[in-house]
Amino acid sequence: MLEIAVIEDPAAAEASLDPIRTRILRELVVPASATQLAVRLGLPRQKVNYHLRALEKHGLVELVEERRKGNMTERILQATASSYLISPQALASVSPDPGRFSSHFSAFWLLALAGRMVQEMGKLIAGAAAARQKLATFAVDGEVTFRTAADRAAFAEELGVAVTRLVDKYHDGDAPRGRRHRLVVALHPVLKPAKDPTQTPSGKEQDND
């Protein structure tokens, strides 16, 4: 089982978005039969089997074991991944193209880059899994609080200079056995936490009595 699978096929994406199938995929992180799932989900076994066939058809669940129970054969299924992402490839005709944007300060360009990264990483992970090889990647995730917008702009400028310096130092386009790598550096505001409806503007809980 993969930790994360990227769905590229539009039909598979559509199948995965059905609410019942989403629940089934969540349950099938641990292998189970249709009968076991029906009990957990409170649904008829026939209905669960219908959804399982659709998920199995699109490679979202797979058979891991068959058990004989009297005259019956019980099929034990498991999700092919713990989590799923839908690739922009599933909407290829309308997916964003990073080449359409030229500004490093464009939020839409950042979103297009993120979409391309999901698409490319999905293909790379699938290829590495098929070849039983490790995939060499590196990522940094953190937060920084700027005192002013001017500080943020200065940080972005210095970061760009530092990254350019590193690329110039290590990039060798003429290396006969060199492997090209994609480098993406992003900076965006952190989402604000959702407001708790039970809190008053003063921060005290509302009295509903």
Side-chain angles (χ1 to χ4, degrees):
M1 173 189 283
L2 294 172
E3 285 295 326
I4 304 176
V6 178
I7 300 172
E8 296 189 348
D9 177 44
E14 182 180 0
S16 71
L17 292 173
D18 179 275
I20 293 177
R21 293 172 189 172
T22 299
R23 292 171 63 194
I24 289 174
L25 289 174
R26 184 168 62 243
E27 291 289 340
L28 284 182
V29 171
V30 177
S33 66
T35 301
Q36 292 169 326
L37 285 171
V39 173
R40 293 180 198 170
L41 300 176
L43 296 171
R45 184 172 60 84
Q46 292 83 354
K47 189 170 186 178
V48 171
N49 265 324
Y50 167 78
H51 290 295
L52 283 172
R53 285 194 294 271
L55 291 171
E56 190 173 8
K57 174 184 176 181
H58 295 294
L60 300 175
V61 302
E62 60 187 357
L63 180 69
V64 294
E65 186 182 357
E66 287 186 332
R67 299 172 183 169
R68 292 290 298 177
K69 296 187 71 174
N71 295 327
M72 302 286 293
T73 299
E74 185 178 52
R75 302 177 80 243
I76 307 299
L77 298 158
Q78 185 175 29
T80 53
S82 298
S83 303
Y84 296 88
L85 281 174
I86 295 178
S87 169
Q89 181 64 33
L91 297 169
S93 61
V94 292
S95 63
D97 176 13
R100 289 182 53 203
F101 307 94
S102 58
S103 172
H104 289 186
F105 300 98
S106 167
F108 298 109
W109 187 55
L110 176 55
L111 198 58
L113 290 177
R116 184 184 65 188
M117 182 179 293
V118 170
Q119 181 178 340
E120 292 185 349
M121 286 304 304
K123 293 180 182 294
L124 288 167
I125 289 172
R132 297 184 178 181
Q133 294 180 347
K134 290 185 177 181
L135 188 61
T137 62
F138 173 76
V140 175
D141 179 32
E143 295 182 10
V144 56
T145 301
F146 299 107
R147 289 184 297 271
T148 65
D151 282 355
R152 182 186 62 218
F155 175 87
E157 184 176 355
E158 289 185 39
L159 181 61
V161 170
V163 170
T164 300
R165 186 182 299 119
L166 278 172
V167 170
D168 288 342
K169 179 179 179 180
Y170 289 101
H171 174 65
D172 186 353
D174 298 324
R177 296 185 179 180
R179 175 70 187 271
R180 294 176 63 193
H181 285 68
R182 177 85 68 190
L183 174 65
V184 176
V185 179
L187 177 70
H188 63 80
V190 174
L191 288 174
K192 295 180 179 179
K195 292 183 178 180
D196 186 342
T198 65
Q199 296 289 325
T200 63
S202 64
K204 296 180 180 180
E205 291 190 3
Q206 294 178 354
D207 187 352
N208 296 320
D209 292 338

